[in-house]
Amino acid sequence: MAFHGILDPERSRVPPNLCALGIMTKAPLPGQVKTRLSPPLTPEEAAHLNICFLRDTAASITKACGGKARGVGVYTPHGAESAYIDILPREFDLLPQRGEGFGERLASAAEDLFRCGFASVCLVDSDSPTVSSEDYATAVELLSKKADCVVLGPSDDGGYYLIGMKQNYRRLFEAIDWSTEHVLQQAKQRARELNLEVSLLPTGYDIDDAATLRRLYNELLSDESRSDIAPHTRKFLAQLVANKKF
């Protein structure tokens, strides 16, 4: 019996008035994820760090959900469902990704979640473990109260760690220069083309190279860091320090 429910847009229907908080994730296998962190990390360490990111992001989402939202792992490849048994909480559902490029995968994920009956959809990256549960809760609240709008969680590299919407707007993911510093501004422009109000969450950052890994280490292992922010990642970074990776 499967640990997580698998959403099928053709058949699944979720309870009314729920927001989907969907983490875009690739099965965390060595050599397949966080490859830009090898070196300084081994492929096995990079994969384990990705698992920590997923656990921390899922924990923050779970805390933010209350009765208003549900966590979903939007995963690839098909057949990798068992990889998430010990990573995502049982209350998360899974949804297979589809599409070729990143923009198409985002657009298809939003479409499929709306087809399952979610009233609003947030798509979240798996590279920003320090985003707080309060930020996710704010996104859910904005989408529940505002007129038709787009919610964006800016990353300081010019991208975003979250995009939320109340209707399925494929245009939000078209003509975007993915993996560049233009992503956020282009997303805002697409929203303006659709006459949608844009609400911004606090700025976060992605961890995708040695420099941002060092930044994460400095943040989480400082005395001023909140103990409830990214505890799994914090513990693993401490182990890396003990193994002289920093």
Side-chain angles (χ1 to χ4, degrees):
M1 184 171 62
F3 186 87
H4 296 102
I6 311 296
L7 294 174
D8 179 349
E10 297 292 336
R11 299 179 179 86
S12 300
R13 291 298 175 268
V14 301
N17 302 317
L18 280 181
C19 177
L21 286 167
I23 308 174
M24 302 296 294
T25 170
K26 186 176 183 181
L29 302 175
Q32 301 296 313
V33 294
K34 310 311 297 175
T35 55
R36 291 174 63 191
L37 294 178
S38 300
L41 306 183
T42 67
E44 291 75 18
E45 289 169 337
H48 191 83
L49 184 65
N50 183 246
I51 289 171
C52 292
F53 288 0
L54 287 169
R55 285 174 174 158
D56 286 328
T57 300
S60 293
I61 284 175
T62 299
K63 187 176 179 182
C65 281
K68 298 181 178 180
R70 178 180 294 180
V72 181
V74 187
Y75 70 97
T76 189
H78 288 225
E81 297 84 5
S82 62
Y84 296 95
I85 289 175
D86 295 324
I87 299 174
L88 297 180
R90 181 181 289 272
E91 55 265 35
F92 266 60
D93 289 321
L94 294 177
L95 175 74
Q97 289 185 27
R98 59 185 179 88
E100 295 302 319
F102 185 60
E104 187 176 341
R105 287 176 178 268
L106 285 172
S108 297
E111 177 184 340
D112 289 348
L113 289 166
F114 277 115
R115 288 175 65 197
C116 289
F118 285 100
S120 57
V121 168
C122 293
L123 300 176
V124 177
D125 78 13
S126 59
D127 300 323
S128 305
T130 59
V131 176
S132 71
S133 60
E134 292 92 342
D135 294 335
Y136 293 123
T138 297
V140 173
E141 192 71 9
L142 287 169
L143 290 169
S144 71
K145 289 190 171 181
K146 288 208 169 200
D148 206 3
C149 66
V150 173
V151 177
L152 291 168
S155 294
D156 61 8
D157 61 0
Y160 57 73
Y161 61 83
L162 178 149
I163 182 168
M165 65 213 78
K166 300 183 73 164
Q167 295 188 54
N168 181 33
Y169 291 112
R170 199 171 188 90
R171 181 60 180 159
L172 290 170
F173 307 105
E174 295 176 342
I176 303 291
D177 297 319
W178 301 107
S179 301
T180 72
E181 70 274 17
H182 306 298
V183 171
L184 180 68
Q185 290 305 319
Q186 290 173 339
K188 290 179 180 179
Q189 177 60 37
R190 301 296 160 266
R192 286 193 291 269
E193 292 169 5
L194 294 164
N195 294 315
L196 298 173
E197 178 184 351
V198 175
S199 296
L200 297 179
L201 300 175
T203 301
Y205 65 98
D206 301 339
I207 295 87
D208 53 16
D209 57 20
T212 48
L213 180 62
R214 169 65 66 172
R215 175 180 176 180
L216 181 68
Y217 159 77
N218 289 335
E219 176 182 349
L220 292 183
L221 273 68
S222 73
D223 293 337
E224 292 77 27
S225 179
R226 281 174 47 178
S227 62
D228 62 329
I229 296 294
H232 293 94
T233 301
R234 183 196 316 272
K235 181 178 178 180
F236 185 62
L237 289 177
Q239 293 173 353
L240 292 177
V241 171
N243 293 332
K244 298 182 170 38
K245 287 289 181 175
F246 286 97

